[in-house]
Structure formats: structure tokens, C-alpha cells
Amino acid sequence: MSKHPHLHDNEVILDVRGLRVAYGKVEALHGVDLCIRRGQIVTVIGPNGAGKTTLLAALIGLLPATGDIIYMGHPRRHADEVEALVRQGMTLVPEKRELFAEMSVEDNLILGAFDRYRTGHRDQMETMDEVFELFPRLEERRSQLAGTLSGGERQMLAMGRALMAKPKLLMLDEPSLGLAPLIIKEIFRIIAELKQTGVAILLVEQNARAALQIADYGYVLETGEVSLAGPSQELAADPRVIEAYLGLGKKH
Amino acid sequence: MDLQILLLLGQDGITNGAIYALLALALVLVFAVTRVIFIPQGEFVAYGALTLASLQTGKVPGTIWLLLALGSTVAVLDGYRLLREKRFAKLPPLLIFNVGLPLLAAAGLFAMPPDQLPLWAQAVVAMLLVIPLGPMIYRVAFQPLASASVLVLLIVSIAVHVTLIGLGLLFFGAEGSRTPPFTEISFELAGAPLQGQTILVVVASALLIIGLYFFFERTIYGKALRATAMNRTGARLMGIPPALAGKLCFTLAAAIGAFSGILIAPITTIYYDSGFLIGLKGFVGAIIGGLASYPVAALGALLVGLLESYSSFYASAFKEVIVFTLIIPVLLWRSLTSKHIEEEEE
Ligand SMILES: Nc1ncnc2c1ncn2[C@@H]1O[C@H](COP(=O)(O)OP(=O)(O)OP(=O)(O)O)[C@@H](O)[C@H]1O
Ligand SMILES: [Mg+2]
């Protein structure tokens, strides 16, 4: 997580065109286009069942998809498996966290660096210290079992574990899900902080207000299609977005 | 019945129980990581013992042919994929491990009569011949079915078991073998003789269990195996391929099996099909642990060993019946007390 002071390096990290995903015969994504550059936070907002989780699962290789995915300049073969994509620097913090419940916080983090370890990098202890700097709470609980953590701590652990892989593209699926406002604020502050390290972030959120605040660019996904896209300030000012996602009184 | 007989039987029971405990651990491990109910676990015991016995009579064990055949199959399967994906750098290690080394082993066996080797070296050779069969069987029979249901995996498991038994008959013949003990020392305990071999079995099993504990608790590969068992999707997202985890735990299972076989070869006469019953008793232990808990499975296996030993004295004709009937109350109790474990979905 070295600092990149100059962010004018705007190389495209991920370019997705016409992505289609189907569960059996039912298509859930009907041709999605999306682009993320280095050091950018891109958010995808949308209602329940829009296909946000499906999108991330397809990008990380958990679901088969058709369409073009160009990652770091190379077209991705759709046969590529999750493990190959993780090695190329993609990481997903899934909606369900998928922690190793009967293992300690520390072991969960160490496993986040499994592929780096396998490819000969033995720096997981230093990386773990960097993660502890971002999430001091995790250091306090390093020997506690992951299954006994609070919701906020679990989300922190899921994010910390993903960061252990030193990703180039970090995908977050609803990091605010089920958390109290104070913790949400902290998580979003940390996401904004991560951006400074140069990692590209794809942030899927229902909490549109908070997401648009820290994102550079946003997409609105509705029933498997991108209905609106634009720089996040423009989206936040768009009456359609205000009405559907930022409605007054619907405070998150 | 006096104390002497009680101790003697207890000794027998603990020796067998230690072996069953090892096998129970292997069964729990394989099931937790791959969802395969590993019926052929016992065949690794028989192959370990009989390979050692062949080496001792100066014969080239048939195991080497199976190793060559499976290794070549793996090389063809994986080589084809590597060629198609143009990952040429991975070809040489693939060929060396799956074809080169088995060929070298075959050449070595034919060049040097193995009965000249000291006993410990023969044991090592036997292990080296049997252990690679584990990951190879995984690659050929189970890896292509990674997302199949537990039932399909069980059927394949039975097919592998039947195949290995048939090959065992072909390789080792129908006669049983017993190898010389590793040690002749004998002590006396409260008037009952205590064989050095018995102590060896118990100590070696305990050491292996401790070694496995450290592997799972302290090494990143051990943790990766546990992670795969706990949360397959989570493990994949960490870059832990299910196929790697599968191969690793089949290697461990084969090693545990072969090691157990070599340990009991001097105590029991092993036939080509003896593995099944031995494995089944480990399985009873594993069931007592719900195919999930290692300590409970090990304790269950010890209980099976003791029960078997005492019932062979009191009601020898019903020995197996008593041991396997144990499973009924255990299952009943488990189904009443524990929540039903849903079949994990991908
Ligand atoms: N495994 C599955 N099998 C069949 N249909 C599925 C499956 N997973 C998701 N779907 C369907 O695909 C659509 C998109 O679901 P998805 O989980 O991607 O939505 P989402 O935008 O992440 O929603 P939420 O905000 O509630 O998490 C939904 O209609 C859902 O019912
Ligand atoms: Mg979702």
C-alpha cells in the first residue's frame, strides 16, 4: 500500500462491455458497460435485486458471463478462474463477508495473503501491520474468532483480509450493509483513505448518498441494466437519482 | 477373567484404536475439504503394508505399475490443458513429478533388490510408492467432479475402492502377509507382557497426530485447508484453489493410510482386502465425531478399538457385529441432539 502522491496516472484498470450473466435461463444482467481507472472510486448503486452482486460475482469469476472484460489492458478469458484473477490483483469483499468463522482474526488476515505467500512473497506480517493501522480495532481483537466479531468488526475484517492481497482492484459489495451509522461513517472514511494508495475501488452500495459522496464516478443499475451514469456530483444532482435514491427524509 | 487378560486386551484395543484414530482423522479431513466420503482410505493401509511385505521378499511391488499408470494419466489430463492454455513453463514439473519420478523409482526397484535394504529404508520406499497415489486418484477420479453432490462423490468413491481391491489382488496375490516387527523389545506391565511394537504404534500415532495438529494450526497451507473446509467461496476468493486443497488432503490421507499400514503390518496379517474393514472401523470413529470434529473422531476410534478387543474375547463370533452396531445408538443420539447439517451448496 505505497502512497501514490500524483494521481494523474489515469490508466484504465477495468473496462467492461456488454456483460451478460444468466442464472439458468433467466438473464440477470443484460449487457452492462463499466469503466474504472487507477486511483478511482467508482460506485454502482441501485435497488434490491438490480444485479449488483451478480455483477461483482461475474467480474471475480464466480459466475460465468459473456461480453468483454478488459483488465489491465488484457482481454480476460471467460474460462479464467477466481484464483487466476486474484493472482492478477482483483479482490472482492463479498456481500456475505465469507469469513472463516472458526479461525482467529489474525489467521483470516494471513489467509488473505495466501496467494502472495504461494508466489514467494513472505511479507504478510508487514502487510498485516499496515492493515492494523487502517483498522486498529482488528489489532485489539487479533486472536478472537472471526465468528464472534460484531457486524462492524466483521466488515472491517473482510476488508482487511482483502487488502492483505495488495489488490490493484478492490471490489466492495455493500460494505455498509447492516451497520450502524457511526461505523458506516468510519468504513467510508477508510475507503476514501484507501483511494489515496492508488488502488482502484469498485463500490457497490444501497447507501447512495454516502457512496456518491466519496466516489468519482457512478452508475445506476436497475433490473440488470445501467440506467444512468456520470461523475458522482452530477449524478447526485440528477433529479431522477434524488427522487429514487436520495429522497429527503430517507436518511441513511 | 483376571487383570492380566484385561490389560492384554486393553493393550490390543489401544493399539488398534490408535490406527483407527489416524484413519478417522483422515476421513474427517477428506470429507470436510472435498465432501468425499473416502471409502478407499483402508486400501491405502493395505497397500502400505503389502508393498512393504513385497519389498521384504525381494519382489518389485505391483504398486509401481499403478503409480506409473496413474501418473501418466494425470500427465496427459493436465498436460493437455496446459498445452491448450499455452502455459508451457508448467509442463516440465508436471512431467517430472508424474512420469519421471515413477519411472526412476521403477528403474531403482529393478536395479537393486529391495530386500537388501534395512527395514526402515524399505518402509520409506513403501511410503513413497503409495503416497503419490492419493493426489493422483484425486486428480483422475474426483477433481473433475468438484461440484457434484455428496452422493455422486460417494458412488465414485466406492468405484475407486472396488478398483483398488481388484488391483490389490492382482499385485499382491490372495495370501496374507505379516512383516517382521520394527522392534523386539518387550516389557512387563502388572504381569502382562507389553510389546515394543505396541508402544511404537501408539507413540508413532500420537506423534503423527501432533504433527498434523501443528500443520493445521501453524502453517499457511494447513490453514488454507481448514479455510476451504469452513467456507469454500471465501477460500476461493483468497486464491486458494479447491483443486489444490483437494490434492493436498488426499496426499495427507494417503500418507496417513500408508503409515498406518506399515505400523500394523507386523501385528496383524494383512490381505489385499483387509483395508476395507480397518477403514470401516476408522469410519465408525469418524461418524461418532459427526465427520466434523477431529478430537471426538479420534476418541470414538479409540473406543472402537477397545470395544473390538474386549468383544473378541467375550463374544468373538460377534466381534464385528458389536463394533458396527455401536454406530446405531451413536447416530440416533446425534440425530436427536445435533442440528441437521445441510448439504453445502456451491
Ligand atoms: N443464485 C441465483 N439463482 C437464481 N437467481 C438469482 C441468483 N442470485 C441472484 N439471482 C437473481 O438475480 C437478480 C439480481 O440479484 P443480485 O443479488 O445481483 O441483486 P443485488 O442488486 O445485489 O440486490 P441487493 O441489493 O438486494 O443485494 C435477482 O432477481 C435475484 O433474484
Ligand atoms: Mg447484492
Side-chain angles (χ1 to χ4, degrees):
Chain A
M1 274 171 271
S2 62
K3 300 258 176 196
H4 284 237
H6 306 291
L7 290 175
H8 38 230
D9 175 10
N10 59 352
E11 172 199 354
V12 173
I13 296 282
L14 183 73
D15 195 2
V16 179
R17 293 200 200 121
L19 190 78
R20 287 172 182 275
V21 181
Y23 292 105
K25 283 192 181 126
V26 186
E27 199 175 69
L29 289 183
H30 322 290
V32 169
D33 297 351
L34 186 135
C35 178
I36 307 170
R37 292 168 190 280
R38 183 184 297 283
Q40 251 189 350
I41 299 180
V42 170
T43 186
V44 175
I45 56 177
N48 287 115
K52 306 182 294 296
T53 299
T54 305
L55 170 68
L56 294 186
L59 290 179
I60 196 77
L62 282 174
L63 285 176
T66 59
D68 294 320
I69 301 177
I70 298 155
Y71 176 63
M72 312 266 294
H74 298 287
R76 197 179 97 192
R77 291 168 308 188
H78 286 288
D80 266 357
E81 295 187 338
V82 183
E83 300 79 30
L85 299 171
V86 168
R87 181 158 300 177
Q88 292 162 38
M90 262 198 202
T91 340
L92 170 65
V93 179
E95 193 173 18
K96 293 181 192 154
R97 322 306 198 220
E98 313 283 12
L99 297 174
F100 306 122
E102 287 144 65
M103 281 194 212
S104 67
V105 166
E106 190 172 321
D107 282 351
N108 270 273
L109 289 175
I110 283 178
L111 283 170
F114 176 80
D115 192 69
R116 281 180 62 73
Y117 183 89
R118 217 179 145 204
T119 49
H121 300 87
R122 298 292 139 92
D123 56 357
Q124 61 274 6
M125 284 308 168
E126 288 95 79
T127 320
M128 186 145 61
D129 285 338
E130 289 170 20
V131 168
F132 284 154
E133 256 169 57
L134 276 175
F135 302 101
R137 194 97 70 99
L138 291 182
E139 185 164 22
E140 289 163 25
R141 317 217 156 244
R142 64 192 294 168
S143 50
Q144 191 174 329
L145 293 187
T148 63
L149 294 176
S150 77
E153 289 159 353
R154 288 162 60 82
Q155 180 56 33
M156 290 179 189
L157 178 55
M159 284 174 67
R161 190 179 64 168
L163 291 172
M164 289 294 292
K166 301 203 167 185
K168 299 193 174 73
L169 173 62
L170 176 65
M171 302 193 274
L172 301 164
D173 197 349
E174 300 206 35
S176 74
L177 188 70
L179 303 186
L182 224 60
I183 305 273
I184 296 183
K185 224 172 147 183
E186 192 177 342
I187 298 259
F188 275 82
R189 180 185 59 74
I190 291 167
I191 295 172
E193 206 176 311
L194 281 176
K195 173 184 156 158
Q196 304 305 318
T197 67
V199 60
I201 298 173
L202 180 56
L203 171 65
V204 158
E205 259 304 333
Q206 295 236 20
N207 190 335
R209 187 186 306 276
L212 287 173
Q213 232 163 47
I214 59 166
D216 301 287
Y217 202 87
Y219 294 85
V220 179
L221 192 66
E222 281 168 347
T223 55
E225 274 168 291
V226 172
S227 59
L228 278 171
S232 41
Q233 276 124 343
E234 281 174 33
L235 272 190
D238 190 298
R240 286 166 292 181
V241 174
I242 293 175
E243 193 196 336
Y245 302 105
L246 305 173
L248 293 173
K250 205 177 148 200
K251 203 162 169 283
H252 286 275
Chain B
M1 142 145 270
D2 53 18
L3 181 70
Q4 210 168 324
I5 296 179
L6 205 70
L7 281 176
L8 212 57
L9 291 175
Q11 216 183 95
D12 247 24
I14 289 180
T15 317
N16 287 335
I19 299 293
Y20 301 152
L22 285 177
L23 299 179
L25 295 186
L27 286 164
V28 171
L29 170 68
V30 169
F31 182 74
V33 174
T34 63
R35 295 171 307 128
V36 172
I37 296 172
F38 198 44
I39 310 291
Q41 179 65 50
E43 271 63 75
F44 285 93
V45 178
Y47 273 56
L50 294 171
T51 303
L52 179 62
S54 303
L55 289 173
Q56 275 169 356
T57 52
K59 276 185 272 181
V60 173
T63 324
I64 187 72
W65 306 122
L66 182 57
L67 192 62
L68 278 168
L70 275 174
S72 314
T73 314
V74 171
V76 168
L77 288 175
D78 280 346
Y80 172 70
R81 223 190 62 208
L82 289 178
L83 282 178
R84 226 184 36 190
E85 293 174 6
K86 300 198 170 53
R87 285 153 61 193
F88 301 117
K90 291 220 163 170
L91 274 175
L94 175 75
L95 291 175
I96 289 173
F97 278 107
N98 290 296
V99 184
L101 290 182
L103 275 175
L104 207 67
L109 285 175
F110 279 105
M112 194 174 56
D115 52 341
Q116 305 291 310
L117 292 170
L119 182 56
W120 66 265
Q122 289 170 338
V124 171
V125 172
M127 298 264 289
L128 289 180
L129 289 176
V130 175
I131 294 174
L133 298 177
M136 287 172 179
I137 287 174
Y138 173 77
R139 174 62 191 90
V140 172
F142 295 104
Q143 189 178 319
L145 298 169
S147 48
S149 70
V150 171
L151 184 61
V152 170
L153 292 171
L154 174 63
I155 291 168
V156 174
S157 193
I158 292 172
V160 171
H161 157 72
V162 172
T163 312
L164 283 179
I165 293 236
L167 289 173
L169 178 59
L170 186 70
F171 294 155
F172 308 112
E175 317 87 61
S177 314
R178 193 187 276 239
T179 60
F182 286 87
T183 163
E184 302 279 5
I185 315 172
S186 174
F187 304 92
E188 198 158 295
L189 181 76
L194 180 59
Q195 303 294 334
Q197 182 68 26
T198 305
I199 301 177
L200 186 75
V201 170
V202 173
V203 170
S205 309
L207 286 180
L208 184 57
I209 289 174
I210 292 170
L212 286 171
Y213 175 81
F214 273 95
F215 171 73
F216 285 115
E217 290 293 324
R218 295 292 151 81
T219 69
I220 196 163
Y221 280 91
K223 287 172 187 171
L225 274 188
R226 280 167 59 217
T228 306
M230 273 176 220
N231 187 330
R232 209 171 298 264
T233 309
R236 292 193 71 191
L237 289 173
M238 303 300 104
I240 304 168
L244 174 78
K247 253 180 228 161
L248 199 56
C249 76
F250 270 68
T251 308
L252 282 173
I256 291 172
F259 185 75
S260 311
I262 287 169
L263 279 182
I264 54 161
I267 304 176
T268 327
T269 307
I270 300 284
Y271 298 84
Y272 71 98
D273 61 352
S274 298
F276 182 60
L277 263 189
I278 300 174
L280 213 52
K281 285 169 193 157
F283 191 69
V284 175
I287 291 286
I288 294 176
L291 277 177
S293 160
Y294 295 93
V296 181
L299 284 179
L302 269 180
L303 177 70
V304 170
L306 286 169
L307 192 68
E308 180 190 19
S309 169
Y310 286 113
S311 55
S312 71
F313 183 79
Y314 288 112
S316 125
F318 296 105
K319 175 177 106 170
E320 316 290 11
V321 179
I322 292 174
V323 168
F324 292 116
T325 313
L326 175 68
I327 220 172
I328 296 173
V330 167
L331 283 180
L332 212 63
W333 168 70
R334 287 203 74 88
S335 68
L336 290 179
T337 56
S338 62
K339 64 178 174 17
H340 177 62
I341 299 161
E342 295 288 339
E343 188 171 311
E344 191 188 334
E345 49 199 306
E346 269 295 86

